Amino acid sequence: MHAQTNAQPALLTHLPFVLSQMPIVLEGLTADTNTDLSPALAVIASRARAEFVYVMDSDGRTLASSNCQQPESLVGEYCTFRPLFSVGSC
């Protein structure tokens, strides 16, 4: 779980933990489809003033993303190249 922002990065360091405690996120990790999760992430990203927020599985595949309606959507992409993937996998 990660938030990308143009604001000061330290302001959102708590967001992955907060997301990990949310029932909709936990349900999205085990569901066959994540139709409810991406719109919820869009609301969270807007309120947090983050460019986007996304949730990955343990393989690094993006399951849901706040930018799912945009051409540059991360949904289905593998984001193992992102530094937080390796940190979050520890």
Side-chain angles (χ1 to χ4, degrees):
M1 292 166 238
H2 181 63
Q4 177 74 29
T5 180
N6 293 327
Q8 294 174 327
L11 296 177
L12 297 177
T13 56
H14 67 285
L15 200 51
F17 174 77
V18 171
L19 290 170
S20 73
Q21 304 302 304
M22 297 178 68
I24 193 167
V25 173
L26 297 174
E27 291 164 8
L29 291 172
T30 59
D32 290 334
T33 62
N34 293 300
T35 56
D36 294 336
L37 185 52
S38 286
L41 294 178
V43 171
I44 293 165
S46 174
R47 290 183 181 168
R49 297 185 192 145
E51 184 177 342
F52 52 84
V53 176
Y54 57 93
V55 174
M56 296 184 293
D57 65 14
S58 60
D59 293 325
R61 186 174 62 93
T62 305
L63 301 175
S65 178
S66 61
N67 70 348
C68 69
Q69 298 295 327
Q70 300 171 358
E72 62 274 4
S73 172
L74 296 173
V75 176
E77 298 293 324
Y78 283 85
C79 296
T80 53
F81 63 91
R82 295 188 179 273
L84 283 177
F85 178 77
S86 59
V87 171
S89 299
C90 296

